Amino acid sequence: MHTEYVIRGALLALLNDRAKYGYQLKSEFEASTGSAWALNIGQVYSTLKRMERDGVVLGLGQDEEGRPRYQLTAEGREELAGWLSAAVERSVSSRDEVTMKVLMAAATGAGDPTLCIAVQREVSMQTLQTATVARDTATSLADRLHLERLIVSCTAELRWLDIAEEALAGGRTPAPGEVGDTTTTTLRTEDLHG
Amino acid sequence: MAEGDSGEAAGSQVDGPVLRMVGVVQEYRDGGRVIRALDGIDLTVAAGEMVAVTGRSGSGKSTLLNLAGGLEEPTAGRIWVDGEAVDAMTRTGRAELRRRRVGFVFQSLNLVPSLTASENVALPLEFDRVGPKPARTAARQALERIGASELADRFPDQLSGGERQRVAIARAVVGRRRLVLADEPTGALDEMTGRQVLRLLADLADGGAAVVLVTHDVELAAAADRVIRLRDGAVDQITERPSAPASVAELLR
């Protein structure tokens, strides 16, 4: 439920200056994060209800137009400060699909791992090309920073593909006197884990 | 590749591609060994196009650029620049071609320190015996074209790294040269300045130049319309930028 956790943090931040109602939070959320993330209004209210239950926001009842408004509590302020100041731990999933495809192709011989790499490289490069143009014409800070992150992750993927390709190329050269390449491929697969 | 026409015909058309390479092979002798740096390269770059050439060091990137600019003579294959067959030229002919039609931008910011930016930009024209007045006008125009008019009277040591590279780019296109060859042009610059220089090269292409950019950096290469990946002297993979621009929402899910 990572997404929910991020939405909760964002709602706390948006309520920091004054009490607001759901649609206001939805549109401010979208304005400050860019066009990339559209929030569902139902999700906004269900999150607010949960936050009210946890005591981090307080329901103020409906305003003259019948819109339920919420304000931050002292506890909410504390949670917000904690959320903003805590570092996010990163980890690389050992279940990454691209990694698994390359490893499975290499380990089983069911497919050509270099083909998996070439196909992925083309798509990542095209995304990078498109994202570069979009970044250079981005009109909001939010869009630009989202795109910069996409660019960095495409670049990282392309770099990984090069590394994997080289590791596999090393693995496919049979040792002197060796006929098949099954053994070396298996060895390389282990190298990739290491 | 050019659409279906024979090499000679396409090569001799001025309206054809600015750069055309067909079956280009380059070998070097290392003692008794022959090293094949390029192994049958086909490449066509039209006016208005920016092409990036990537690959590890030793993949043949720089050799390709040297051949395209007439700095080296190919072992085999054919090369045309603006319809002129470079491979058939004498050394003198190639030197003249370089002066008249090809602009180079290198990583090292090789401006002459005792000359102003504008004089540096005019330098290739003076070698070409263009009179000082038209040369000066052309230099001003080239600086203007890349938005660097304000640098005209400054000396290289009064310019930042990014500004020097902008002057070098102006020098590469002075006198309406249509082929711009850039070898790691952002190598000496910080990331943001490097991006500006890249954008400048892309703008040159939008303005009708044919730009070939050699870089090991895939992020910079992605600024090009077409990315050609070399491996062991041969084309390993070609990626074209998708023609439909994606919206931010499509890119970020």
Side-chain angles (χ1 to χ4, degrees):
Chain A
M1 289 301 93
H2 185 67
T3 304
E4 227 168 78
Y5 177 68
V6 177
I7 294 173
R8 181 179 171 123
L11 294 182
L12 287 170
L14 291 169
L15 286 169
N16 188 46
D17 60 341
R18 63 194 158 84
K20 281 164 196 171
Y21 55 90
Y23 271 104
Q24 214 171 354
L25 288 167
K26 172 181 154 63
S27 64
E28 284 183 21
F29 177 93
E30 287 165 5
S32 54
T33 60
S35 38
W37 191 349
L39 268 192
N40 175 327
I41 190 66
Q43 200 175 9
V44 174
Y45 279 114
S46 66
T47 309
L48 285 167
K49 284 261 177 272
R50 220 166 300 126
M51 289 164 76
E52 186 175 22
R53 186 198 61 204
D54 297 341
V56 295
V57 299
L58 180 67
L60 297 178
Q62 301 185 344
D63 65 6
E64 55 278 11
E65 283 168 67
R67 298 171 301 202
R69 292 192 312 143
Y70 290 84
Q71 83 175 23
L72 214 54
T73 64
E75 265 176 77
R77 231 167 273 285
E78 206 175 301
E79 185 176 309
L80 170 62
W83 181 66
L84 288 177
S85 62
V88 177
E89 248 182 74
R90 297 278 182 206
S91 63
V92 169
S93 171
S94 60
R95 294 169 192 182
D96 175 73
E97 195 178 350
V98 176
T99 313
M100 284 307 289
K101 275 188 201 184
V102 171
L103 289 178
M104 283 299 129
T108 65
D112 180 357
T114 59
L115 197 64
C116 298
I117 288 172
V119 167
Q120 192 63 35
R121 183 184 284 129
E122 171 154 26
V123 170
S124 296
M125 182 50 95
Q126 283 185 329
T127 308
L128 190 56
Q129 284 176 301
T130 313
T132 304
V133 172
R135 184 227 17 231
D136 291 347
T137 52
T139 47
S140 73
L141 176 70
D143 281 355
R144 193 187 141 199
L145 289 186
H146 280 304
L147 289 164
E148 294 280 13
R149 184 164 281 283
L150 175 64
I151 287 167
V152 169
S153 64
C154 285
T155 307
E157 173 130 302
L158 287 164
R159 187 158 171 251
W160 181 85
L161 292 166
D162 283 351
I163 292 167
E165 185 178 63
E166 234 173 278
L168 287 162
R172 264 208 314 281
T173 312
E178 204 176 314
V179 184
D181 60 358
T182 330
T183 341
T184 30
T185 310
T186 313
L187 276 173
R188 281 297 131 183
T189 311
E190 282 162 12
D191 285 358
L192 283 173
H193 275 302
Chain B
M1 290 283 13
E3 298 72 34
D5 39 19
S6 83
E8 282 299 338
S12 58
Q13 281 168 13
V14 177
D15 290 341
V18 177
L19 173 65
R20 179 143 192 245
M21 303 175 96
V22 177
V24 170
V25 172
Q26 184 69 324
E27 291 177 341
Y28 300 112
R29 256 169 219 295
D30 177 22
R33 273 196 329 153
V34 173
I35 296 164
R36 187 166 274 215
L38 284 184
D39 193 10
I41 295 285
D42 295 329
L43 173 67
T44 302
V45 188
E49 238 191 332
M50 172 147 124
V51 171
V53 181
T54 67
R56 323 169 16 182
S57 28
S59 59
K61 308 189 291 283
S62 293
T63 304
L64 185 150
L65 210 69
N66 290 345
L67 286 164
L71 289 166
E72 295 178 26
E73 197 180 337
T75 309
R78 308 223 55 194
I79 302 168
W80 292 269
V81 171
D82 259 346
E84 288 192 54
V86 184
D87 53 279
M89 285 177 187
T90 59
R91 187 179 288 267
T92 328
R94 281 190 278 123
E96 196 176 313
L97 173 100
R98 281 202 299 278
R99 278 204 314 268
R100 294 218 165 131
R101 303 199 188 266
V102 187
F104 290 93
V105 184
F106 296 111
Q107 173 175 350
S108 55
L109 309 160
N110 45 358
L111 300 178
V112 179
S114 59
L115 300 179
T116 64
S118 177
E119 287 163 348
N120 265 286
V121 172
L123 209 53
L125 299 177
E126 293 191 12
F127 284 133
D128 218 19
R129 291 181 289 279
V130 171
K133 220 172 158 184
R136 233 181 351 254
T137 311
R140 299 263 166 190
Q141 281 167 348
L143 283 166
E144 202 178 295
R145 186 167 162 197
I146 62 152
S149 298
E150 79 280 5
L151 307 178
D153 299 322
R154 292 207 236 150
F155 288 91
D157 64 2
Q158 298 169 315
L159 300 171
S160 69
E163 288 169 338
R164 277 186 231 174
Q165 201 59 311
R166 280 161 71 197
V167 172
I169 289 173
R171 187 178 57 187
V173 291
V174 73
R176 288 195 290 269
R177 282 176 293 172
R178 296 210 300 161
L179 180 59
V180 177
L181 304 174
D183 196 351
E184 302 283 4
T186 67
L189 306 173
D190 65 72
E191 187 164 342
M192 288 302 158
T193 314
R195 280 185 191 177
Q196 285 167 8
V197 166
L198 247 282
R199 214 160 305 149
L200 211 52
L201 289 172
D203 289 347
L204 285 183
D206 288 342
V211 179
V212 182
L213 161 74
V214 159
T215 178
H216 69 281
D217 184 332
V218 287
E219 188 183 332
L220 296 178
D225 308 301
R226 189 149 40 107
V227 180
I228 294 170
R229 184 170 193 269
L230 293 187
R231 199 173 175 209
D232 300 331
V235 174
D236 178 49
Q237 206 165 352
I238 301 174
T239 315
E240 302 261 359
R241 182 202 309 284
S243 49
S247 70
V248 176
E250 278 169 320
L251 280 168
L252 305 166
R253 280 184 300 262

